[in-house]
Amino acid sequence: MSAESGPVIFIDDDEDVLRAATQMLKLASFSPSVFGSAEAALARIDGNFDGPVVSDIRMPGLNGLQLFERVKAIDPEIPVVLITGHADVELAVAAIKDGAYDFISKPYANDRLLVTLHRASEKRRLVLENRRLRDAVVRSAGDIPLIGEAPTMIRLRETLRQIADTDVDVLVEGETGTGKEVVADLLHRWSRRRTKPFVALNCGALPESVIDSELFGHEAGAFTGAQRRRTGRIEHSNGGTLFLDEIESMPPALQVKLLRVLETRQITPLGTNETRSIDLRVVSATKADLGDPAARGDFREDLYFRLNVVTLRIPPLRERREDIPMLFGHFLERASKRFSRPVPDISAGVRDRLVSHNWPGNVRELVHFADRVALGLERLGTPIASGRKEQAVSSLPLSEKVSLYEATVIRDALQECGGDVRRTIEVLGVPRKTFYDKLKRHGIDTADYRKTAIG
């Protein structure tokens, strides 16, 4: 519990009771506002009040039950705790059924009241956080691809709009899962090239023997097995945008060819001497700091400088924590629609995880967490174990249960092996191709677990 437990409004027409309540609440780290009448207290209560209201039932003028009705009209989710004498217990019980948070009979123990107020304060905080989260999602609906109000994200969006309609090549830097392809896609969609192809290639996902043909294409008969002409990704992106992800993984021999393409805007496919002019913008992305010679490794310095006309850095989530609730709200709403489930309110445990977790997998990890919350597979931030017979799991179709169990086993194995793919495959006892097929099906990124292991 934080040092400050939050505000409380306390109402009683007895000055001695108010003095004692003020001392008690301050000692318990609450911030009390005390009033001798319900009318005076109502002037301080609106829909943004972020604490509970405590009131004696029997007071001159507006009594506690009438106060409760007025507060309920302002915001029915403000917790109201009624202090009642023995003769008013039935009235208090009726008020509970009508939405009052709790009632406490006189004489009451301070500990009993404080426990109730701590629970009520926590409930009110969660209610307001859920409202802010939903409002933030609505406000960001027109700019969903790059949600965030952190200064770094505002500057990033402004820069994207400034350079989107230029032909300048762009280098995007960012950790795994930060949204580098989203940035590249926005540069394309916000430019005059948007009617032409957006072509993406992950340089780290293809073997060296294939990437040459993928990028530059080939003519029929260029090599054994080349039965027909193939248009390469570069030529296919003519008039549009070519996105090269994990550019740092490009083999050195291909770096030379790419550098020439960037300098001449021409290609010569394998198997022909014909030179073809192309009009494209190149957006490349990297996890490494290519400006650092030690991190650059065998990546060509001249290619780095050619790509680095404009560099955009996407901050990791840990550097813009204020954006996490807004992002989570968007992903939770999207996941709930996809799974045909109502959007759940966030629990205290989920909220604590959003605040305290370091999110090494960044936005991608947050998306997966939102998926699990939407499915009811998170309780106080802890995933439901595969053997527990929770209602959220038991209500799913068999195919979904099997899929969730399989995904949990794979994630547990990756966690145990620190993201080491070879060891994970040995632990699971599955063929490599099967393993990668399952990673793709469940949206699991091994890099998330390697980063977690490193810390």
Side-chain angles (χ1 to χ4, degrees):
M1 186 169 295
S2 63
E4 177 60 64
S5 295
V8 173
I9 286 180
F10 194 100
I11 309 159
D12 198 296
D13 61 333
D14 188 322
E15 291 187 6
D16 291 336
V17 171
L18 290 181
R19 279 194 295 270
T22 300
Q23 183 179 19
M24 171 192 64
L25 292 169
K26 286 183 175 179
L27 287 174
S29 299
F30 284 99
S31 177
S33 298
V34 298
F35 299 92
S37 72
E39 291 86 351
L42 280 170
R44 292 283 300 274
I45 300 173
D46 60 24
N48 293 318
F49 179 64
D50 54 349
V53 175
V54 183
S55 177
D56 191 15
I57 284 186
R58 289 193 176 273
M59 293 185 296
L62 203 67
N63 65 39
L65 294 175
Q66 292 168 323
L67 168 77
F68 163 61
E69 292 297 331
R70 298 281 188 90
V71 172
K72 189 169 67 169
I74 294 171
D75 183 348
E77 293 186 287
I78 293 177
V80 176
V81 179
L82 298 170
I83 306 296
T84 175
H86 178 72
D88 299 318
V89 168
E90 288 188 11
L91 294 174
V93 170
I96 293 292
K97 292 179 180 178
D98 198 29
Y101 184 78
D102 199 359
F103 76 90
I104 298 177
S105 299
K106 296 178 181 179
Y108 58 83
N110 287 346
D111 288 347
R112 164 77 170 85
L113 177 60
L114 290 175
V115 167
T116 297
L117 291 180
H118 281 306
R119 287 201 306 263
S121 295
E122 177 68 8
K123 177 184 178 182
R124 183 60 178 167
R125 278 193 291 267
L126 286 172
V127 165
L128 293 179
E129 284 180 17
N130 277 289
R131 287 181 186 173
R132 285 192 289 267
L133 189 148
R134 286 191 290 267
D135 290 345
V137 170
V138 171
R139 290 196 307 272
S140 66
D143 203 12
I144 279 175
L146 280 180
I147 293 173
E149 295 305 320
T152 52
M153 296 305 292
I154 293 173
R155 288 195 298 270
L156 177 59
R157 288 195 297 268
E158 291 173 347
T159 303
L160 285 174
R161 292 195 180 277
Q162 289 173 0
I163 67 173
D165 214 23
T166 67
D167 286 330
V168 65
D169 293 335
V170 178
L171 179 64
V172 184
E173 296 179 345
E175 296 178 4
T176 295
T178 50
K180 296 185 288 294
E181 186 165 355
V182 172
V183 167
D185 182 62
L186 283 178
L187 282 170
H188 178 73
R189 288 199 284 120
W190 289 349
S191 77
R192 61 178 176 272
R193 296 179 177 272
R194 57 185 170 273
T195 59
K196 299 296 184 178
F198 175 80
V199 180
L201 179 70
N202 189 318
C203 300
L206 295 174
E208 188 172 349
S209 59
V210 174
I211 193 172
D212 191 335
S213 178
E214 283 288 330
L215 269 176
F216 300 97
H218 62 257
E219 296 298 307
F223 51 85
T224 303
Q227 298 179 354
R228 63 183 66 182
R229 178 179 182 272
R230 177 181 178 82
T231 300
R233 301 290 183 94
I234 294 176
E235 187 175 0
H236 182 56
S237 63
N238 189 28
T241 303
L242 175 67
F243 174 57
L244 299 175
D245 199 6
E246 297 191 28
I247 188 72
E248 73 276 10
S249 303
M250 179 173 284
L254 289 184
Q255 293 178 32
V256 178
K257 297 180 70 172
L258 178 62
L259 178 61
R260 179 166 178 78
V261 169
L262 293 174
E263 290 176 339
T264 66
R265 260 29 185 197
Q266 294 178 331
I267 62 164
T268 305
L270 190 64
T272 180
N273 292 324
E274 178 188 352
T275 299
R276 299 169 187 164
S277 296
I278 51 172
D279 168 30
L280 80 164
R281 167 191 240 170
V282 177
V283 179
S284 50
T286 177
K287 300 189 296 287
D289 180 6
L290 297 181
D292 179 0
R296 191 162 59 233
D298 60 2
F299 192 84
R300 294 178 62 96
E301 185 179 34
D302 51 358
L303 178 57
Y304 164 66
F305 286 124
R306 185 62 188 79
L307 292 169
N308 186 30
V309 180
V310 172
T311 296
L312 300 175
R313 178 181 178 272
I314 309 177
L317 279 184
R318 63 181 176 275
E319 292 182 9
R320 54 181 188 113
R321 289 188 172 275
E322 63 267 43
D323 288 341
I324 291 176
M326 187 187 302
L327 282 164
F328 177 75
H330 165 59
F331 298 137
L332 184 63
E333 186 173 273
R334 189 177 68 178
S336 298
K337 288 181 180 177
R338 190 167 74 250
F339 300 134
S340 299
R341 282 167 162 73
V343 180
D345 287 341
I346 60 172
S347 67
V350 168
R351 182 202 62 194
D352 291 344
R353 181 172 176 80
L354 293 176
V355 171
S356 62
H357 187 54
N358 209 34
W359 302 105
N362 293 294
V363 176
R364 184 181 296 123
E365 183 183 0
L366 188 63
V367 168
H368 295 161
F369 181 63
D371 286 349
R372 296 196 299 274
V373 172
L375 285 168
L377 302 180
E378 291 286 338
R379 292 293 182 268
L380 300 180
T382 304
I384 295 177
S386 58
R388 287 173 57 187
K389 297 181 180 179
E390 295 282 351
Q391 181 64 35
V393 175
S394 63
S395 63
L396 296 176
L398 178 60
S399 60
E400 282 194 45
K401 292 179 186 177
V402 172
S403 179
L404 290 169
Y405 177 74
E406 182 178 74
T408 300
V409 171
I410 293 172
R411 290 190 176 99
D412 288 347
L414 281 166
Q415 187 74 39
E416 179 185 339
C417 299
D420 186 301
V421 170
R422 183 184 59 80
R423 286 178 53 208
T424 304
I425 289 173
E426 290 176 357
V427 168
L428 295 174
V430 296
R432 176 175 289 268
K433 183 179 184 306
T434 300
F435 176 71
Y436 279 107
D437 287 344
K438 292 181 183 298
L439 290 183
K440 183 177 181 180
R441 183 187 311 142
H442 298 300
I444 299 173
D445 188 344
T446 58
D448 294 349
Y449 297 86
R450 289 197 295 275
K451 286 180 176 292
T452 301
I454 293 171

